[in-house]
Amino acid sequence: GYYANLEYLSYHVQANAHNVMLVDHDPESQTPAHYDNGIKALIEWPTVQHLFNGKDADGIESELSSVYKGKLEKYSRTLLYTKTGPIFLFDEVKSKSAKGHVYDWLFHAPPGENYQTAISYDKGRMIIDRPNAKLTMDVVSPEIDASKIYDKGVGKAFYESFLDLASKPNLNQVNFLAVILPESKPASGPAPVTTKLEAAGWIGAKIVHAAGSDIGFFRTGTDNGVAAGFTTDAKRFTASYDLSGALQKIYYEGSSISGNGLSLIADVSTRGTMAIVSSGIDAEIKSGKGCNLKVLVSGKPSSVLVGGLSVTNWTYDAGSKTVSLKLPAGTVALKINK
């Protein structure tokens, strides 16, 4: 009944009705991309810049500034999901105007039981409480200047419930970082705890939850490539740890990352995951045209599998304890067995 809804044209087509960012409190902050010009439509639509879908992590980066009425020079939104843990939401926004703007981030939810408000917000933490699931979101950056929960139509066919988080005014640039944790109910263990992590040239966060902990870092400068014990040229990365603090897996976007006993070097930029498993290393690597890869291992592997098939085109260097091999283009499953 979405398009047949009597509120469709007056409400649902507006940016205000969706989980998006508004500029200058404008409920119609977004305009339709060029659908009436076949040439412009190829270049002026919002675009997906990068995409990774894997068994251990998903990552997507999109560029959305083209529909913001000429007000934004850049609006990049990134979502990183560390399965089955948190989702890191990161927005990079830059205004075309030196004066800047005020920005609102909206988060919608269905109504709770008996059409009661499903959203709560206090001191940077949003909770969406549903009968069988719960979602916690902690805002790490920026400083929120104002917040408000909107509820309309309680007990009626048309219902809206959303949280509006507003930045300070006159911001020329702003980064929004939030950590989102979905959980089934009843949730096991204590409530998650999120902290901001500091590193030169990065913005990051750590969340401790019932299954362990996760960190996420997003590059904001060129100061250095060191964050939370990892050295990398990656634009962004995440790392997941078990309850004892042992590293379980990483997601990265770059050509090299090393730290906490893991190391990977490629001759081109790649994106992917590396997981430490009982049999060795379980990875998924995505590259545009294939890549030459070096991976740190504890000793000479018993076997190497690419795409589920055992291969022999790899070498082992005992001095550096690295396996070298060439991977084909696309997303490739790689297993290095002890």
Side-chain angles (χ1 to χ4, degrees):
Y2 184 78
Y3 293 102
N5 192 310
L6 296 177
E7 299 285 347
Y8 175 72
L9 289 178
S10 62
Y11 178 74
H12 288 106
V13 296
Q14 298 184 56
N16 196 65
H18 301 273
N19 296 319
V20 301
M21 184 187 75
L22 305 183
V23 179
D24 296 330
H25 305 308
D26 179 6
E28 298 184 50
S29 287
Q30 298 178 346
T31 57
H34 279 284
Y35 57 86
D36 58 347
N37 184 310
I39 302 301
K40 287 187 176 182
L42 295 175
I43 59 174
E44 295 193 13
W45 279 76
T47 57
V48 171
Q49 305 287 81
H50 301 289
L51 175 67
F52 180 87
N53 292 119
K55 66 178 181 179
D56 287 324
D58 292 336
I60 185 169
E61 178 186 1
S62 55
E63 168 50 46
L64 309 170
S65 60
S66 64
V67 294
Y68 276 85
K69 302 180 179 180
K71 293 182 177 181
L72 302 182
E73 179 181 321
K74 176 182 181 179
Y75 177 21
S76 170
R77 168 161 284 190
T78 299
L79 291 165
L80 298 184
Y81 174 36
T82 57
K83 302 174 180 179
T84 53
I87 301 163
F88 292 90
L89 166 61
F90 183 56
D91 284 357
E92 295 176 275
V93 186
K94 185 175 182 180
S95 168
K96 283 188 176 181
S97 166
K99 181 181 178 182
H101 307 279
V102 60
Y103 306 93
D104 293 77
W105 288 270
L106 307 185
F107 300 95
H108 288 254
E113 295 185 51
N114 299 317
Y115 284 92
Q116 297 303 307
T117 303
I119 301 178
S120 64
Y121 178 79
D122 183 49
K123 298 177 181 178
R125 167 163 287 188
M126 176 190 78
I127 295 176
I128 298 177
D129 201 0
R130 303 287 291 134
N132 298 313
K134 176 183 177 183
L135 185 143
T136 303
M137 182 184 78
D138 291 317
V139 179
V140 178
S141 177
E143 180 181 345
I144 299 302
D145 192 58
S147 64
K148 185 175 180 179
I149 294 174
Y150 291 82
D151 275 304
K152 287 184 179 180
V154 175
K156 300 179 181 178
F158 169 62
Y159 185 92
E160 68 168 355
S161 179
F162 68 91
L163 171 66
D164 184 328
L165 301 177
S167 73
K168 291 184 175 181
N170 305 320
L171 294 181
N172 177 259
Q173 291 188 178
V174 66
N175 291 328
F176 182 89
L177 174 60
V179 187
I180 303 168
L181 184 69
E183 299 174 281
S184 61
K185 291 174 67 176
S188 60
V193 177
T194 299
T195 54
K196 185 177 182 179
L197 298 179
E198 303 286 351
W202 299 89
I203 183 171
K206 176 181 181 179
I207 180 170
V208 179
H209 49 86
S213 62
D214 291 82
I215 62 172
F217 275 93
F218 299 82
R219 190 180 290 274
T220 58
T222 57
D223 301 66
N224 59 45
V226 180
F230 289 92
T231 301
T232 181
D233 68 349
K235 187 175 181 180
R236 53 185 69 96
F237 72 92
T238 67
S240 302
Y241 304 83
D242 64 16
L243 290 171
S244 71
L247 180 65
Q248 299 295 293
K249 63 183 178 182
I250 61 171
Y251 170 81
Y252 74 96
E253 297 180 5
S255 63
S256 66
I257 185 168
S258 62
N260 292 265
L262 280 178
S263 178
L264 174 147
I265 301 174
D267 61 347
V268 296
S269 182
T270 60
R271 62 195 64 238
T273 59
M274 292 180 64
I276 300 174
V277 296
S278 59
S279 60
I281 293 176
D282 191 354
E284 285 182 294
I285 309 297
K286 181 178 182 179
S287 61
K289 296 182 180 180
C291 64
N292 293 301
L293 203 64
K294 290 185 178 181
V295 180
L296 179 68
V297 293
S298 58
K300 186 175 181 178
S302 60
S303 62
V304 176
L305 281 69
V306 175
L309 301 175
S310 181
V311 297
T312 58
N313 65 332
W314 56 274
T315 60
Y316 173 70
D317 184 278
S320 60
K321 293 186 176 181
T322 57
V323 169
S324 300
L325 74 161
K326 183 176 179 62
L327 295 182
T331 302
V332 180
L334 170 64
K335 290 182 179 292
I336 302 176
N337 295 320
K338 296 178 182 179

